[in-house]
Amino acid sequence: MTVQGFDPARLARIGAHFAAYVDDGRLPGWQVQVSRCGEVVYRAQHGWRDIEARQPVEDDTVFRIYSMTKPITSVAAMMLYEEGHFELTDPIARFIPAFADMQVLEGGTALKPATRPAAGPIRVQHLLNHTSGLTYGFHHIHVQDEMYRNAGYEWGVPKGKTLAQAVDDWARLPLRFDPGTRWNYSVATDVLGRLVEVVSGQSLDRFFQQRIFDPLGMKDTSFTVRGDLGQRLGALYLPDKDGKATRNDDFSNAARGEITFLSGGGGLLSTTADYHRFTQMLLRGGELDGARLLGSRTLRAMTRNTLPGGQDLVQFGIPLFAEVKYDGQGFGLGFSVVQDPVAAGTLGSVGEYTWGGAASTAFWVDPAEQITTIFMTQLLPSSTWPLRTQLRQMVYSALVD
């Protein structure tokens, strides 16, 4: 007997497979949920949210979702787009003046860069699809990345900086390329979060709460450990030289301190249940239980490849070390989008859209099969183990209808 076309015995392989990651010490603990047509067909968890305290992963465990914040920020921006506050082709300098007259790196060193004026402005759509020319300091592949690190921006921001201050700092640094001409994963979604603040007149946390979390019933999603979230928040782990999960409180405690930087690119805490509410809204075309955040056509536009000429991330992107192959993957307005599952080397559907977080969390939405999948754990970085590809092959091989 199948459940929504899934073979329960085949789904059970998921738990057995990932339990081994905990039992041999590679992961602290994890939680996974698979849904089809809105019905949860598989949910499992194993291991510890805090190994040292022997606290298990539970139904309401809170996880740092890092870059799984990005789709939420992208939805927030597109809600404001639907209200006519801006067009996708608007230069962001219209709203954030520091981005006027941007420079592009031509050569030189981090201390003595050679630059030229950008051929055109950064536009809103460039923030949404990571073609802005901005970067992340943690890439370690270019002089531009070094300049971000020299300014204090690698895995976070200098202590006490606000979102507005950080965005102005980035605007003073040169771009890697002319906006719209390449793809490079970057702080662009944090800049997009600042755009949300400027346009809405609200702080990003307040906009999220009033316009997204409350309507969707996402009661445990937050930038801070308010209420009892701190007691339910998992510890953060990094692999040691033998691949064993080792606690790292330097990273872990950042979520427990005073939050001055509201990171739309990676700052949220959430639960599997809350993020399930978000993915169901996406799957249903922008609406859930009577709360409509986006129009269905807007969501379709967000989940189509926006890279010029239908190129994938390998063809159009800056080569980066990543946890999954970029072959056959395009990028929409806030999500990567599967263009060619064969090139991607994975089971799945054309049009499936997805993203993940630095601590090895991941989700995807498959409109063709009406599937949503969420995986939560707390191991940094996400490239440590092939969790996402293995989960995908096990979910789709359990589908037998």
Side-chain angles (χ1 to χ4, degrees), residues 111-154:
L111 296 179
K112 291 186 176 181
T115 65
R116 61 164 172 82
I122 301 175
R123 303 182 188 276
V124 176
Q125 63 194 13
H126 299 146
L127 299 178
L128 283 155
N129 69 3
H130 290 284
T131 62
S132 64
L134 299 165
T135 194
Y136 269 124
F138 59 71
H139 284 328
H140 289 260
I141 59 173
H142 194 264
V143 168
Q144 183 198 28
D145 312 331
E146 184 181 351
M147 294 177 73
Y148 274 57
R149 293 193 297 275
N150 290 346
Y153 296 97
E154 184 170 10

Side-chain angles (χ1 to χ4, degrees), residues 40 58 83 87 107 141 181 191 213 245 248 267 278 323 326 329 334 342 357 401:
V40 176
E58 298 177 309
E83 294 170 4
E87 297 185 45
I141 59 173
T181 62
V191 179
F213 301 155
N248 188 296
F278 181 70
E323 61 275 4
Y326 280 159
Q329 305 258 3
V342 175
D401 63 356

Side-chain angles (χ1 to χ4, degrees), residues 56-128:
V57 174
E58 298 177 309
D59 286 347
D60 62 354
T61 292
V62 176
F63 300 87
R64 299 162 189 79
I65 62 171
Y66 286 113
S67 286
M68 280 168 58
T69 305
K70 287 181 170 72
I72 295 174
T73 303
S74 300
V75 165
M78 293 304 289
M79 291 168 70
L80 293 168
Y81 164 79
E82 287 190 326
E83 294 170 4
H85 290 285
F86 55 79
E87 297 185 45
L88 295 179
T89 53
D90 280 344
I92 62 168
R94 175 182 167 191
F95 309 96
I96 308 173
F99 282 98
D101 306 317
M102 292 300 293
Q103 298 288 305
V104 175
L105 267 172
E106 285 280 86
T109 67
L111 296 179
K112 291 186 176 181
T115 65
R116 61 164 172 82
I122 301 175
R123 303 182 188 276
V124 176
Q125 63 194 13
H126 299 146
L127 299 178
L128 283 155

Side-chain angles (χ1 to χ4, degrees), residues 333-345:
L333 302 177
F335 312 86
S336 65
V337 184
V338 175
Q339 297 289 101
D340 183 349
V342 175

Side-chain angles (χ1 to χ4, degrees), residues 350-392:
V350 174
E352 172 192 303
Y353 53 97
T354 180
W355 206 240
S360 303
T361 62
F363 83 97
W364 76 80
V365 176
D366 182 341
E369 296 287 0
Q370 292 286 292
I371 291 171
T372 66
T373 302
I374 300 165
F375 185 84
M376 296 290 203
T377 186
Q378 296 284 259
L379 183 78
L380 186 77
S382 58
S383 55
T384 305
W385 308 115
L387 305 173
R388 299 173 187 181
T389 49
Q390 290 178 356
L391 179 61
R392 184 172 273 102

